Amino acid sequence: MAKVYYDMDANLKVLSGKTVAVIGYGSQGHAHAQNLKESGVTVIVALHEGSKSRETARNDGFEVFSPAEAAKRADIIMFLVPDHIQADVYNREVAPNMKEDAVLAFAHGFAVHFGQVTPSKKNDVFMIAPKGPGHIVRRMYEEGKGVPALVAVYQNASGRAMEIALAYGVGIGAGRAGILETTFKEETESDLFGEQAVLCGGLCELIKAGFYTLVEAGYQPEVAYFECLHEVKLIVDLIFEGGLSWMRYSVSDTAKYGDAVSGRRVIDDAARANMRKILSEIQDGTFAKDWILENRAGRPRMKKWVAAERDQLIESVGRDLRSMMPWLAKKEAPEY
Ligand SMILES: NC(=O)c1ccc[n+]([C@@H]2O[C@H](COP(=O)([O-])OP(=O)(O)OC[C@H]3O[C@@H](n4cnc5c(N)ncnc54)[C@H](OP(=O)(O)O)[C@@H]3O)[C@@H](O)[C@H]2O)c1
């Protein structure tokens, strides 16, 4: 079982007299910076020239610097820029300017675990990875609650890296919910696997496969959309609230029996073998290398895939059906 830390296991005073530089002011950045500040920690924000987040951070009361300038001033440097640019920001701006004994912090292990960022042995390196998006991390803190987080220490140069990491976690409110100990390896590999095999890749392809199976068999696309996409939320909400057993208790007996006899025919031995292959390609670095090269080339494969996915029947049918549901806020993804 994972070791779990709470507020009482950490001492926020560990951060007093220290300056935390939060690099990036997006989903996680705005939440970490504001929560830490309200916990009494000195925080500065670092953003690149021309960043659209600069004004927001200033309006929220922060001094904003370039990453290079912030690195000179900071004792703890938290990287909350997108994972694929962390190495560039570290190598070009942070490493040449940071204090020799500065502490490096991350909210996801990708850059460190896959050797994109290679800190000097003189630095403590830790991770506090909230298990929720930034706006929830912020909202829960404001409500006196917290979002659980993972903590890991990659390097413990000072001998106090875990103490500092836990103080940081408590400062963003995670100690109110629970901070689970892990490693950079475990967090990074399991996070990539989860999003590829289940949460994003697996779920979207399951929905599409179900939708097109019905449409190709002559069922109306609108009906197929309701059955294979719209209702996913109802089921996931039940699973989220009380696990698989609560969902199965809540659905009809017919649905339960269908689950029993058909679920394992969809996710069969071949699908499980594919999952193991995906995991091994994450573990041996094949995926990380591929993603880094894709970024360097300007994301040609991803752009092509995004365009093809946007242009699908399931998307246009969904747009029309959602316009009939006035309780849904209209969401149209911008170009990405
Ligand atoms: N989002 C989540 O739910 C979540 C959960 C747990 C962990 N994480 C981890 O948290 C980290 C940050 O992710 P995020 O989702 O918060 O990112 P995000 O919302 O995309 O925000 C990125 C921020 O970095 C800024 N930025 C971009 N390039 C920069 C540069 N060269 N120098 C300085 N700032 C730069 C962006 O500025 P602009 O606004 O100008 O683009 C933006 O403010 C990642 O390691 C991610 O894996 C995220």
Side-chain angles (χ1 to χ4, degrees):
M1 292 296 280
K3 189 164 172 58
V4 186
Y5 301 91
Y6 297 94
D7 280 353
M8 63 190 172
D9 301 310
N11 183 1
L12 251 176
K13 289 205 180 90
V14 170
L15 303 181
S16 60
K18 309 247 181 252
T19 297
V20 175
V22 171
I23 310 184
Y25 202 74
S27 174
Q28 290 294 320
H30 87 284
H32 288 226
Q34 293 185 54
N35 293 4
L36 285 171
K37 188 170 138 193
E38 286 169 29
S39 294
V41 179
T42 304
V43 178
I44 56 176
V45 169
L47 286 162
H48 56 294
E49 281 301 325
S51 165
K52 58 184 185 307
S53 309
R54 278 187 166 235
E55 198 184 335
T56 318
R58 285 209 182 95
N59 289 341
D60 290 340
F62 291 102
E63 279 192 283
V64 180
F65 300 95
S66 66
E69 187 54 39
K72 288 181 194 161
R73 296 167 184 248
D75 302 294
I76 299 165
I77 303 170
M78 173 53 101
F79 284 80
L80 295 176
V81 300
D83 297 295
H84 66 279
I85 63 167
Q86 288 180 4
D88 192 43
V89 173
Y90 175 75
N91 291 320
R92 276 194 310 109
E93 302 210 52
V94 173
N97 292 297
M98 65 193 244
K99 295 178 186 173
E100 205 179 51
D101 61 350
V103 177
L104 299 175
F106 297 83
H108 179 36
F110 187 95
V112 171
H113 178 60
F114 289 117
Q116 297 301 293
V117 168
T118 46
S120 135
K121 292 281 170 236
K122 292 181 180 154
N123 305 116
D124 287 347
V125 182
F126 74 78
M127 176 192 344
I128 284 285
K131 291 283 96 189
H135 69 277
I136 305 285
V137 173
R138 178 65 187 143
R139 194 170 81 211
M140 287 299 107
Y141 183 91
E142 287 177 302
E143 291 177 11
K145 301 173 196 152
V147 168
L150 301 180
V151 63
V153 168
Y154 184 76
Q155 275 183 193
N156 188 11
S158 71
R160 300 184 64 197
M162 182 55 97
E163 213 183 326
I164 300 167
L166 289 175
Y168 187 104
V170 163
I172 65 166
R176 298 166 179 173
I179 305 173
L180 283 75
E181 190 168 344
T182 182
T183 60
F184 272 60
K185 173 180 163 56
E186 183 177 64
E187 185 276 340
T188 306
E189 294 175 359
S190 60
D191 187 78
L192 291 173
F193 177 77
E195 62 202 17
Q196 292 178 29
V198 181
L199 307 173
C200 305
L203 180 60
C204 293
E205 287 304 323
L206 179 68
I207 289 170
K208 279 167 54 192
F211 173 84
Y212 289 112
T213 299
L214 285 177
V215 171
E216 279 158 27
Y219 296 85
Q220 297 182 76
E222 292 80 1
V223 172
Y225 182 92
F226 275 123
E227 297 306 332
C228 298
L229 189 152
H230 182 79
E231 291 192 19
V232 168
K233 175 164 169 34
L234 311 179
I235 295 300
V236 169
D237 280 350
L238 291 167
I239 295 172
F240 189 74
E241 283 162 17
L244 300 175
S245 300
W246 176 248
M247 181 277 286
R248 287 170 173 155
Y249 163 77
S250 308
V251 299
S252 71
D253 285 352
T254 313
K256 235 188 320 277
Y257 186 65
D259 175 351
V261 297
S262 295
R264 289 182 69 93
R265 294 168 67 199
V266 177
I267 306 300
D268 60 3
D269 288 347
R272 285 166 202 272
N274 285 335
M275 284 195 183
R276 285 192 289 274
K277 176 107 173 67
I278 288 166
L279 179 59
S280 74
E281 287 173 4
I282 290 168
Q283 290 168 325
D284 70 14
T286 305
F287 171 77
K289 191 171 156 204
D290 178 37
W291 177 221
I292 290 159
L293 292 176
E294 173 76 1
N295 275 299
R296 281 195 198 139
R299 303 186 170 188
R301 278 168 61 196
M302 189 149 124
K303 283 180 183 157
K304 204 167 154 199
W305 173 80
V306 166
E309 287 289 301
R310 259 180 206 275
D311 209 15
Q312 296 246 346
L313 177 65
I314 192 168
E315 291 289 78
S316 55
V317 169
R319 205 170 290 120
D320 292 345
L321 285 178
R322 289 192 300 274
S323 71
M324 293 160 60
M325 302 179 213
W327 64 91
L328 290 182
K330 204 170 170 196
K331 303 266 187 200
E332 197 61 58
E335 288 293 318
Y336 60 88

